């Protein structure tokens, strides 16, 4: 059966995740587990353009998106958000077109990497937060008008959800959090503009 979110509890059932989302979620969880088991360090996974492009470590361009900060609540929240928004996109907006979804993800990752390289103030070693905002914004743009509950009785629609998330992140982390979010939001707007369907 197609993946459907449980509206009441927003439960994610791993067995029901679409294939691409399941594989990417498992890879992200695997990175955190590898660090927890000391098979590698966060520094081995961090984004470093000199090491990735000239130092023979190209994996850093991808591992920076998959690792957050170990096995913490922040990682659990990031994995849940990634799985939720990715599954919604893969099962609905890109239903029956997994190659289009993979290209959208690749385009978003490329746009976020370009933004991280071009913005001198951006010095985050990991891009998990921008990735979550990218997926949330892309889903919101693909499902405008879809009702979303925020903390009980407060409701909004899918296209406004990323902006509420931005407000909460900015309140918690200040400008550092906002810059990370804007990187993902901008990439989603670019991918949506180029999508052409």
């Amino acid at each position: 059966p197609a993946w459907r979110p449980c509206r009441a509890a927003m439960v994610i059932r791993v067995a029901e995740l679409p294939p691409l989302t399941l594989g990417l979620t498992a890879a992200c969880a695997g990175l955190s587990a590898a660090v927890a088991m000391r098979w590698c360090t966060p520094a081995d996974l961090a984004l470093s353009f000199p090491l990735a492009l000239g130092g023979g470590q190209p994996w850093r361009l991808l591992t920076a998106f998959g690792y957050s900060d170990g096995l913490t609540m922040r990682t659990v929240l990031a994995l849940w958000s990634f799985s939720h928004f990715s599954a919604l996109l893969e099962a609905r907006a890109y239903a029956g077109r997994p190659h289009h979804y993979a290209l959208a993800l690749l385009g978003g990752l490329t746009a976020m990497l370009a933004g991280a390289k071009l913005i001198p103030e951006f010095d985050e070693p990991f891009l998990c937060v921008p990735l979550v905002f990218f997926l949330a914004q892309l889903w919101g743009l693909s499902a405008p008008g879809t009702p979303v509950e925020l903390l009980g009785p407060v409701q909004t629609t899918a296209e406004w959800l990323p902006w509420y998330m931005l407000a909460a992140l900015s309140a918690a982390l200040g400008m550092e959090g906002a810059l990370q979010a804007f990187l993902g939001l901008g990439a989603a707007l670019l991918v949506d503009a180029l999508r052409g369907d």
Side-chain angles (χ1 to χ4, degrees):
W3 184 85
R4 285 175 280 132
C6 177
R7 184 178 165 101
M10 301 300 277
V11 173
I12 302 238
R13 292 178 179 86
V14 174
E16 296 177 3
L17 288 175
L20 186 57
T21 298
L22 179 60
L24 293 173
T25 302
C28 293
L31 288 174
S32 291
V35 170
M37 291 187 275
R38 298 177 191 234
W39 292 346
C40 61
T41 67
D44 296 331
L45 306 174
L47 180 63
S48 168
F49 287 107
L51 290 174
L53 301 176
Q57 298 179 11
W59 65 83
R60 290 175 179 273
L61 298 176
L62 294 176
T63 57
F65 288 101
Y67 181 76
S68 180
D69 63 351
L71 296 174
T72 65
M73 276 308 291
R74 180 177 170 176
T75 300
V76 170
L77 182 59
L79 280 175
W80 181 88
S81 300
F82 172 81
S83 297
H84 180 73
F85 293 119
S86 181
L88 286 171
L89 282 165
E90 189 174 355
R92 294 185 183 168
Y94 292 93
R97 303 175 299 151
H99 295 94
H100 289 156
Y101 182 54
L103 284 174
L105 276 175
L106 183 61
L109 297 180
T110 303
M112 287 182 275
L113 285 169
K117 177 80 171 149
L118 295 174
I119 300 170
E121 295 82 17
F122 193 87
D123 62 353
E124 287 297 311
F126 301 107
L127 301 173
C128 189
V129 170
L131 178 60
V132 168
F133 274 87
F134 167 76
L135 293 169
Q137 178 71 1
L138 197 59
W139 172 69
L141 293 169
S142 71
T146 302
V148 177
E149 291 181 11
L150 300 174
L151 304 173
V154 180
Q155 291 194 350
T156 187
T157 55
E159 66 270 23
W160 287 101
L161 178 63
W163 301 100
Y164 283 103
M165 292 169 53
L166 170 63
L169 186 67
S170 298
L173 299 178
M175 233 12 231
E176 174 189 332
L179 188 57
Q180 292 181 57
F182 278 122
L183 188 64
L185 294 171
L189 292 171
L190 178 66
V191 167
D192 186 64
L194 297 174
R195 190 165 60 170
D197 51 52

